[in-house]
Amino acid sequence: MQEQTRYAIQVTDLTVAYREKPVLWDVDMEVPEANLMAIVGPNGAGKTTLLKSILGLMQPAAGQVLIYGKPYQQQRRLVGYVPQRGSVDWDFPTTVLDVVMMGRYGSLGWLKRPGKSERMKAEEALHKVGMGEYANRQISQLSGGQQQRVFLARALVQDAQVYFMDEPFQGVDAVTERAIVTLLQELRSAGKTVVVVHHDLQTVPEYFDWVMLLNVRRIACGPVEKVFTEENLRKAYGGRIGFLRSDQNHHLENMPVEGVAAVETSPTGGTLPAGNR
């Protein structure tokens, strides 16, 4: 008897609109637990909007989101979130350690102050991402790659079962990118599920198990080896990329990637501004 797949995330018929123009249209997504999943698509595809809608940060017009079979509101403590670096005021006067300890507030509640145990967990997470020596540094003094590592450390101390990360590789160097990939693989090995908004199509087969191609509607979602195909990529990006296959590995070239579409056509025939990723 075949074992039934256990889904960490189930999204059904999700529709989100800005001023009556759909940014996401009737999107379904199922992610098995203990998977690394990429969400890819052109500018304006609704990638960030999808994450924010799942996390209750945006109100959908329709649809349902389940985390391990229950509404997100009931499973909030099982979920960790790494937003885009640009969404944070890095000039705010606080230390690296304090930022990481904020990841424990969901467990403590906002009225209880972090204690010795929380501090130890935060320091351990910083060492895990190679930032232990920066614990007392002001966040304004960090490079882009260091900022991203701090974000990841904050997510680690949440000890979540499901992680959502919005472009964690954006603006980081090759060393930091490799460190992030190793960390994501360790999370998967520990039974965690990680969903990443990703822009580099060349690395999808190497980094991820599962992929969703999105352009307002869901183009395809499933194992990389089955759905990350030339046909689906052309559907998602409108034929604006080159695609070559070699030795069963996917290699993409001539890729504008993000920015291939300054304006996307909506399912209703209108246009959507770039930036609603």
Side-chain angles (χ1 to χ4, degrees):
M1 184 176 178
Q2 188 174 5
E3 186 177 348
Q4 187 174 3
T5 301
R6 189 182 187 201
Y7 290 105
I9 307 159
Q10 293 171 289
V11 177
T12 307
D13 300 334
L14 189 70
T15 296
V16 180
Y18 290 138
R19 299 176 183 174
E20 299 183 355
K21 292 182 179 180
V23 181
L24 293 173
W25 184 261
D26 203 23
V27 171
D28 294 337
M29 181 178 81
E30 291 184 324
V31 188
E33 68 175 345
N35 261 276
L36 295 183
M37 175 178 171
I39 300 175
V40 300
N43 279 349
K47 302 185 294 294
T48 293
T49 298
L50 176 58
L51 288 200
K52 289 184 175 180
S53 300
I54 292 172
L55 295 166
L57 300 175
M58 296 183 64
Q59 182 64 41
Q64 182 183 55
V65 174
L66 300 177
I67 304 295
Y68 281 106
K70 296 181 181 179
Y72 168 74
Q73 290 77 7
Q74 298 178 24
Q75 304 283 56
R76 194 183 303 268
R77 292 189 178 184
L78 297 183
V79 176
Y81 176 44
V82 179
Q84 291 185 20
R85 284 190 295 113
S87 65
V88 173
D89 179 9
W90 292 98
D91 291 325
F92 188 79
T94 189
T95 67
V96 167
L97 185 62
D98 286 338
V99 169
V100 176
M101 282 198 293
M102 289 177 189
R104 297 297 302 162
Y105 287 168
S107 300
L108 291 173
W110 289 98
L111 298 179
K112 186 177 179 181
R113 293 182 61 82
K116 184 177 180 180
S117 174
E118 284 69 37
R119 185 182 182 91
M120 289 178 62
K121 288 178 179 178
E123 290 174 342
E124 180 181 345
L126 282 170
H127 282 290
K128 194 173 185 63
V129 300
M131 289 291 290
E133 63 186 278
Y134 296 88
N136 296 316
R137 184 166 297 190
Q138 291 289 312
I139 59 172
S140 60
Q141 299 173 345
L142 301 179
S143 69
Q146 290 169 341
Q147 291 171 353
Q148 196 63 59
R149 290 179 186 234
V150 170
F151 258 3
L152 290 168
R154 188 179 69 169
L156 286 177
V157 300
Q158 292 178 265
D159 195 24
Q161 292 299 311
V162 180
Y163 290 93
F164 294 94
M165 302 186 182
D166 198 349
E167 299 202 31
F169 303 111
Q170 186 179 45
V172 303
D173 59 27
V175 173
T176 297
E177 180 163 332
R178 177 50 57 185
I180 293 173
V181 171
T182 299
L183 178 60
L184 300 188
Q185 292 170 342
E186 290 175 357
L187 289 172
R188 177 187 58 194
S189 297
K192 316 290 188 180
T193 304
V194 185
V195 176
V196 176
V197 170
H198 193 56
H199 70 277
D200 183 2
L201 298 180
Q202 292 189 30
T203 59
V204 169
E206 179 185 357
Y207 292 175
F208 298 98
D209 316 309
W210 210 259
V211 64
M212 179 179 189
L213 290 96
L214 182 70
N215 192 346
V216 182
R217 296 177 183 270
R218 185 184 87 162
I219 305 301
C221 184
V224 169
E225 64 271 16
K226 291 185 178 180
V227 306
F228 195 67
T229 64
E230 178 178 2
E231 179 183 1
N232 286 333
L233 284 160
R234 291 192 184 281
K235 287 179 181 178
Y237 289 88
R240 286 175 286 247
I241 60 171
F243 185 88
L244 297 173
R245 184 189 298 271
S246 174
D247 297 328
Q248 297 182 339
N249 290 321
H250 297 188
H251 301 281
L252 301 164
E253 55 186 26
N254 304 322
M255 294 184 303
V257 193
E258 298 299 316
V260 296
V263 178
E264 297 295 336
T265 303
S266 80
T268 58
T271 58
L272 298 171
N276 296 326
R277 295 184 292 175

